[in-house]
Amino acid sequence: MTDTQGHPAHTPGHAPGSLCLVTGATGYIGGRLVPELIKAGHRVRCLARTPAKLRDHPWAGQAEIVRGDVTDAASLAPAMEGVDVAYYLVHALGTGRDFEETDRRAARTFAEQARAAGVRRIVYLGGLTPSGVPGHALSPHLRSRAEVGRILLDSGVPTTVLRAAVIIGSGSASFEMLRYLTERLPVMVTPSWVRTRIQPIAVRDVLRYLVGSAGMPDHVSRAFDIGGPEVLTYLDMMRRYAVVDGLPKRLIFPVPVLTPRLSSHWVGLVTPVPRSIARPLAESLKYEVVCDEHDIADWVPDPPGTPISFNTALSLALQKVRDAQVVTRWSSASVPGAPSDPLPTDPDWAGGSLYTDVRERTVDAPPQALWRVVEGIGGENGWYSFPLAWAVRGWLDRLVGGVGLRRGRRDATLLRIGDSLDFWRVEEIERGRLLRLRAEMRLPGLAWLEMYAEHDDEGRTRYRQRALFHPRGLAGHAYWWSVSPFHALVFGGMARNIARTAEAADGSPPSAQPAGSAAAAGGPTPGAQA
């Protein structure tokens, strides 16, 4: 059976069992695509610069994980061996002013290695671009996404380019922007782009199209617009969100004076999305991005009830948030430019100056109770000491373009390697014993925070906490000495309150517990006594 253009209305494509290479598996879409490909019967190989970040994912034992980088041909060549379908799900958004060149170089390297390895198909998720707008007039973000698509299509390898606008799903940057703006601001003065027409799409439909693209026949090599069934303005989307979430009606007043730069500051102040990501998103929203066709259905047919409506997508995302079942978040990918140097393991580290702050407490509770408090730190639970100091540090970080303290955590109780945790990233977990965090705030140096739940020589539970800072230049040394007077208050209070919270939660009488404190109530709250 064919459509009016002679295309088959449905094609079974290649049989399941293809070997799929997934780049960007530590990111928002890639981390969700891998289990969907496995469920569809494909074999999966993930390319990651730091394979350990995928260690704790539920599907890690079912996928092959290899070390590599899309900009490094030497690491890509072995990763491509035997691959049938290669998914390109990376971009350099927020890496700096030269991110377009980085995207260009990475796409060319990927295309060349895919062709050399005999890969049957490349699949790329890009951005929907407005009709009739020349490339040079687009925002740098949209222009780069479009250029990457052209490079891959010109690779000589059959390529599927899926072009999406706003993706709605629990944890997506677009959803988080929409959620926080609507929930936190009952009255808004907004940029004029809130009146721009957009065709949002549910993340479930994006994943369905990505998986289905693996089975496209070899003669199909083109871009497809993908979107949901409705065209809305951002104003419509905020009002719909309020209805679905049961919020009172929002009062929204668009004004023409908020430029994309000012908009990104506004978004950065209200939402967890940092300015480096908010700005390209805001710049893109000034364009009308509506699908010109739905040809993807010729090759990946829509089952009944799909594409998913906007309200349904919101309901599904909100339910995932409420049930603490957010699989990946926009912050799942590492912050561009974040430190990746080896951890100094002791004060005699040969890498140069190293400052440490070590605190230890004996805890009248079993190690398991202490570990539950350690693994639950951050996000809504706070950092157990001087909350104003932590909040101010987060605000300062946002002001200089950092991630700030509002990224929160993916799950309220469980952490895994690679998770973002406010302005930290989980670098290592030894379940029940060690949590190591790497700082991703803007600092003149590298910083880590380690928390241990262990036994001392007498068999008692001991909490050990170690902060490490490797300064960069004179500014780094000056930074450490300027904040060190506050360490007794911040780090000392943190160790004390973590121990007390573990004791209270276990039902043991905490030693020298101040009456009426948050820890005495057994609650790990941001306002715990310092």
Side-chain angles (χ1 to χ4, degrees), residues 208-230:
R208 181 170 58 83
Y209 291 137
L210 284 167
V211 173
S213 294
M216 285 187 176
D218 296 343
H219 69 271
V220 177
S221 185
R222 54 164 289 190
F224 295 92
D225 294 351
I226 59 172
E230 300 160 277

Side-chain angles (χ1 to χ4, degrees), residues 102-321:
T102 302
D103 272 340
R104 187 179 302 120
R105 185 176 72 255
R108 286 173 177 163
T109 302
F110 190 84
E112 290 165 1
Q113 294 304 314
R115 183 174 63 250
V119 169
R120 180 175 59 77
R121 174 165 298 278
I122 294 172
V123 181
Y124 168 59
L125 178 61
L128 189 59
T129 53
S131 301
V133 178
H136 65 83
L138 293 173
S139 69
H141 168 55
L142 284 181
R143 184 169 63 233
S144 181
R145 302 298 287 273
E147 183 183 20
V148 167
R150 289 193 299 272
I151 290 171
L152 297 177
L153 283 168
D154 292 341
S155 65
V157 178
T159 297
T160 301
V161 173
L162 301 177
R163 309 193 310 166
V166 170
I167 296 176
I168 301 297
S170 59
S172 75
S174 297
F175 174 74
E176 293 286 278
M177 274 179 56
L178 179 67
R179 174 188 169 202
Y180 279 86
L181 288 173
T182 310
E183 289 183 355
R184 292 183 172 179
L185 299 176
V187 180
M188 283 179 263
V189 176
T190 63
S192 57
W193 50 250
V194 298
R195 291 197 177 105
T196 303
R197 296 169 72 239
I198 304 164
Q199 192 163 350
I201 182 171
V203 68
R204 295 191 184 195
D205 282 324
V206 173
L207 294 170
R208 181 170 58 83
Y209 291 137
L210 284 167
V211 173
S213 294
M216 285 187 176
D218 296 343
H219 69 271
V220 177
S221 185
R222 54 164 289 190
F224 295 92
D225 294 351
I226 59 172
E230 300 160 277
V231 176
L232 305 165
T233 66
Y234 209 85
L235 190 65
D236 296 330
M237 290 164 63
M238 287 191 286
R239 287 173 173 163
R240 293 258 200 118
Y241 183 97
V243 171
V244 171
D245 199 26
L247 301 172
K249 184 178 180 180
R250 271 31 197 164
L251 300 178
I252 304 169
F253 304 98
V255 295
V257 295
L258 288 176
T259 64
R261 179 168 183 163
L262 289 174
S263 297
S264 66
H265 283 286
W266 172 63
V267 171
L269 286 171
V270 178
T271 80
V273 181
R275 192 167 71 242
S276 60
I277 295 177
R279 182 168 183 178
L281 290 177
E283 287 176 337
S284 301
L285 288 170
K286 68 183 181 182
Y287 303 103
E288 181 175 286
V289 278
V290 176
C291 298
D292 289 329
E293 41 81 13
H294 188 54
D295 296 349
I296 186 69
D298 295 341
W299 311 105
V300 185
D302 293 321
T306 58
I308 296 168
S309 72
F310 179 74
N311 281 26
T312 300
L314 285 181
S315 296
L316 291 169
L318 282 169
Q319 193 60 50
K320 289 288 185 183
V321 170

Side-chain angles (χ1 to χ4, degrees), residues 37-82:
L37 288 170
I38 293 171
K39 191 187 305 181
H42 297 293
R43 294 170 293 134
V44 178
R45 177 182 296 161
C46 300
L47 182 78
R49 285 176 294 181
T50 310
K53 289 183 179 179
L54 298 176
R55 188 188 72 191
D56 294 335
H57 284 254
W59 44 260
Q62 299 173 269
E64 179 187 0
I65 301 172
V66 298
R67 186 184 303 276
D69 191 310
V70 292
T71 61
D72 178 18
S75 65
L76 267 181
M80 291 278 191
E81 288 181 8

Side-chain angles (χ1 to χ4, degrees), residues 358-478:
V358 179
R359 310 278 168 170
E360 293 186 358
R361 301 280 300 187
T362 299
V363 183
D364 295 329
Q368 305 94 293
L370 175 58
W371 177 255
R372 283 194 295 271
V373 178
V374 169
E375 191 172 7
I377 201 164
E380 295 297 320
N381 293 335
W383 292 88
Y384 295 93
S385 72
F386 202 7
L388 180 60
W390 287 93
V392 169
R393 186 63 186 85
W395 296 333
L396 292 174
D397 194 52
R398 302 281 288 197
L399 286 175
V400 295
V403 296
L405 198 63
R406 291 205 305 267
R407 288 192 303 184
R409 41 186 297 155
R410 178 190 57 83
D411 185 282
T413 56
L414 297 175
L415 292 173
R416 65 191 185 200
I417 288 181
D419 273 0
S420 61
L421 181 57
D422 292 326
F423 46 39
W424 305 88
R425 174 104 28 203
V426 179
E427 183 175 84
E428 181 58 83
I429 299 179
E430 294 178 19
R431 196 73 60 189
R433 176 180 175 269
L434 164 68
L435 174 63
R436 179 186 300 143
L437 307 176
R438 180 189 291 272
E440 289 191 336
M441 71 282 278
R442 299 293 179 92
L443 289 171
L446 309 176
W448 294 263
L449 179 63
E450 293 181 330
M451 289 165 276
Y452 293 83
E454 52 193 13
H455 287 108
D456 63 15
D457 293 340
E458 299 178 17
R460 298 173 301 182
T461 300
R462 179 176 64 180
Y463 172 68
R464 184 159 60 93
Q465 175 182 295
R466 187 168 73 137
L468 304 98
F469 183 68
H470 174 45
R472 185 184 298 118
L474 183 60
H477 292 277

